[in-house]
Amino acid sequence: VYKRQIVYRGIFRIDARQKVHSHIPGREGNNHMRNGEIVLAADIHGAYEDLARALHPDDTLIIAGDTLTFMDFEDFSKAILSAAFTPEELAAGIKEMVTGNLDLIREAFREITTPGEEKYQRMLPRITAEYEALAAILPEENYIIYGNDDYPAVMKEMLDGAGRIVESGVVRLSGRTIGMVSGLPSGPRTIGFPGEITQDEYKRRIESLGPVDVIVTHVPPVDDDLTFDVIPKRNESSSTALLEYILTH
């Protein structure tokens, strides 16, 4: 489907003159022609300048989650988490994640995902600033799903009027239906990410789509080839409901 990869960090351009018809809640019946191309980007993690260079104003942009620089493993100071934790604390947290000792990590994540908590409030200015930077480079036609590293409530507030956030919905582009589902389904190895939702809610969102030609999600279906992380050398989060949906449709 993807004709060429144009920039690093998973940004792809699909050549097409787009006929856009939206079934996204709140945008039903939006039916018009566009002369740009479809650009699919995933795991931007703050690379807004790279994304901006990849875009033309007439393009339709789909972002498949994780827009924030939540963590930067090469330079902790660039990470939003550095507003709440010292470099030593971040290094210790990574070690706990790799070894599977998640109780302390879950408590730390409760503090950074709960409005009013000190660590959350320290991170909030960095979060809002990054969403403002994202809003500034979005083309008129865009669809965004959130990933585990995104803060859905803050994202909706900061992108209001600029970004079209899709929790679950369908859009028709160039004669093909594209289903989109936000979030990370909870599981044994999840730790309370800001974009985490229950397994039941994720399944409900997937099943609400009906048959589509293409599905865009942040997490992969259950498949070792798709979920194995070569850094900690373990399988990361995936979705059985998504696999069942793909096999069904």
Side-chain angles (χ1 to χ4, degrees):
V1 174
Y2 308 120
K3 293 195 174 180
R4 58 192 174 95
Q5 183 174 354
I6 59 172
V7 295
Y8 181 58
R9 289 179 183 257
I11 302 175
F12 299 90
R13 179 175 294 274
I14 306 168
D15 297 326
R17 189 171 191 272
Q18 309 151 39
K19 183 176 183 181
V20 179
H21 184 78
S22 175
H23 298 278
I24 304 299
R27 290 181 55 78
E28 295 86 349
N30 177 25
N31 196 358
H32 58 282
M33 293 298 300
R34 296 183 63 80
N35 294 316
E37 298 176 333
I38 303 167
V39 177
L40 174 63
D43 293 82
I44 301 304
H45 290 298
Y48 308 126
E49 292 182 1
D50 287 348
L51 180 57
R53 285 193 293 270
L55 294 171
H56 183 276
D58 282 339
D59 287 340
T60 292
L61 173 65
I62 301 173
I63 298 181
D66 277 9
T67 61
L68 297 176
T69 316
F70 192 70
M71 182 58 176
D72 189 310
F73 292 97
E74 296 180 353
D75 184 350
F76 288 167
S77 68
K78 294 179 180 179
I80 289 174
L81 283 172
S82 68
F85 301 101
T86 66
E88 293 75 20
E89 288 172 329
L90 290 174
I94 292 171
K95 186 177 294 185
E96 294 293 322
M97 286 281 290
V98 171
T99 58
N101 299 322
L102 301 181
D103 288 343
L104 290 176
I105 303 299
R106 290 189 175 109
E107 173 56 25
F109 267 63
R110 184 194 65 78
E111 295 176 346
I112 65 170
T113 57
T114 304
E117 288 281 351
E118 180 185 358
K119 286 185 170 61
Y120 175 92
Q121 297 305 132
R122 281 157 50 185
M123 291 173 57
L124 187 58
R126 297 271 296 266
I127 296 168
T128 56
E130 289 211 3
Y131 282 139
E132 286 178 345
L134 174 61
I137 59 93
L138 291 174
E140 178 183 358
E141 194 72 29
N142 64 80
Y143 303 92
I144 302 169
I145 66 172
Y146 53 81
N148 49 289
D149 286 350
D150 286 306
Y151 282 71
V154 185
M155 174 188 271
K156 291 173 185 176
E157 178 182 356
M158 300 308 299
L159 299 188
D160 185 38
R164 300 176 180 91
I165 299 165
V166 182
E167 292 195 329
S168 61
V170 178
V171 63
R172 180 177 291 275
L173 298 175
S174 301
R176 294 184 180 275
T177 51
I178 301 178
M180 306 177 203
V181 174
S182 285
L184 170 79
S186 58
R189 294 201 57 82
T190 57
I191 53 178
F193 286 103
E196 192 173 319
I197 61 176
T198 66
Q199 290 274 359
D200 288 345
E201 173 59 14
Y202 195 80
K203 183 178 181 180
R204 185 198 66 78
R205 292 181 183 185
I206 290 288
E207 292 177 346
S208 73
L209 299 176
V212 295
D213 298 313
V214 179
I215 186 166
V216 178
T217 63
H218 183 66
V219 298
V222 175
D223 185 302
D224 287 347
D225 290 337
L226 299 176
T227 62
F228 188 74
D229 191 328
V230 298
I231 302 301
K233 294 181 169 48
R234 65 165 184 256
N235 286 316
E236 296 293 351
S237 298
S238 57
S239 171
T240 301
L242 177 56
L243 177 62
E244 292 173 350
Y245 174 87
I246 291 170
L247 294 176
T248 300
H249 298 293

